[in-house]
Amino acid sequence: MKVKVLYFAALREQLGTPGEEIELPAGIGTVAALRSHLRGRGGAWELALAETKLVRMAVNQDMAPPAAALKPGDEVAFFPPVTGG
Amino acid sequence: MKVSVQREDFDAGAEMRALSRDPKVGAVASFVGVVREVAMTLEHYPGMTQKALERIVEEAKCRWQVMDCTVIHRYGELAPTDQIVLVVVASAHRGDAFAACEFIMDYLKTQAPFWKKEAAGWVEARAADDEAAGRWNGLPGTRKLG
């Protein structure tokens, strides 16, 4: 299935892209699985999305836990803990 | 209810007066966040910020008697002393107004997708902000109607 993935703030800079459309291999059905899939690209991806890094996630503009399920056409966002206010 | 994510500055006094017009309102509490010491750029997630702020306001309305509420959050380039964020809550009594205003700010700090960048780099999230938001968990709020 195809999903839209967005990156914000420090993560966007580290990964060098604001976002992309990705065709997910079969078996990748959660936000955590997508994160792990992206980490598999190595280099900056492996570092920025490492398990030890605090990364917040959203699905269709709502904060989402790692176990959140994905469906075709979803907009998934990865970003650092927020610092507004 | 008014939630606005905008580049432009706001007039806190005018926003507060606008929420004082209902004769049933007895208390208007407000908070203004201001840029301290260092210039910054505020980035946000345009599709999500409005939705996240509206959700926080809805949560506050479930917990306290909120008659009206205004939340304005700016993004873009901001200089020291510039206003960043405004929360105004109107209620019949001060307890609800104070609590809802503080709750909205605490949740905004951990749930609304804004990020501050200074010349020295991205501002790190503070554990104290998570603790501030966490202390509202399990609290039913003070529903004192009438």
Side-chain angles (χ1 to χ4, degrees), chain A residues 9 12-13 60 75 83 85, chain B residues 43 45 51 114-117:
Chain A
R12 172 176 48 77
E13 289 185 351
N60 298 327
E75 179 176 295
T83 56
Chain B
E43 175 175 332
Y45 176 178
K51 197 171 163 184
F114 290 95
W115 301 274
K116 289 177 182 145
K117 189 182 192 186

Side-chain angles (χ1 to χ4, degrees), chain A residues 5-76:
Chain A
V5 189
L6 302 175
Y7 313 103
F8 290 95
L11 217 52
R12 172 176 48 77
E13 289 185 351
Q14 287 156 9
L15 300 174
T17 176
E20 57 189 311
E21 293 236 334
I22 304 180
E23 181 67 45
L24 294 179
I28 294 185
T30 65
V31 176
L34 170 58
R35 179 174 169 180
S36 160
H37 174 66
L38 293 170
R39 224 170 22 234
R41 291 172 171 176
W45 297 86
E46 199 170 353
L47 285 174
L49 297 171
E51 303 252 21
T52 50
K53 290 277 165 64
L54 272 182
V55 176
R56 301 281 189 250
M57 295 152 296
V59 176
N60 298 327
Q61 304 90 41
D62 283 320
M63 290 284 194
L70 296 178
K71 58 183 190 311
D74 276 349
E75 179 176 295
V76 185

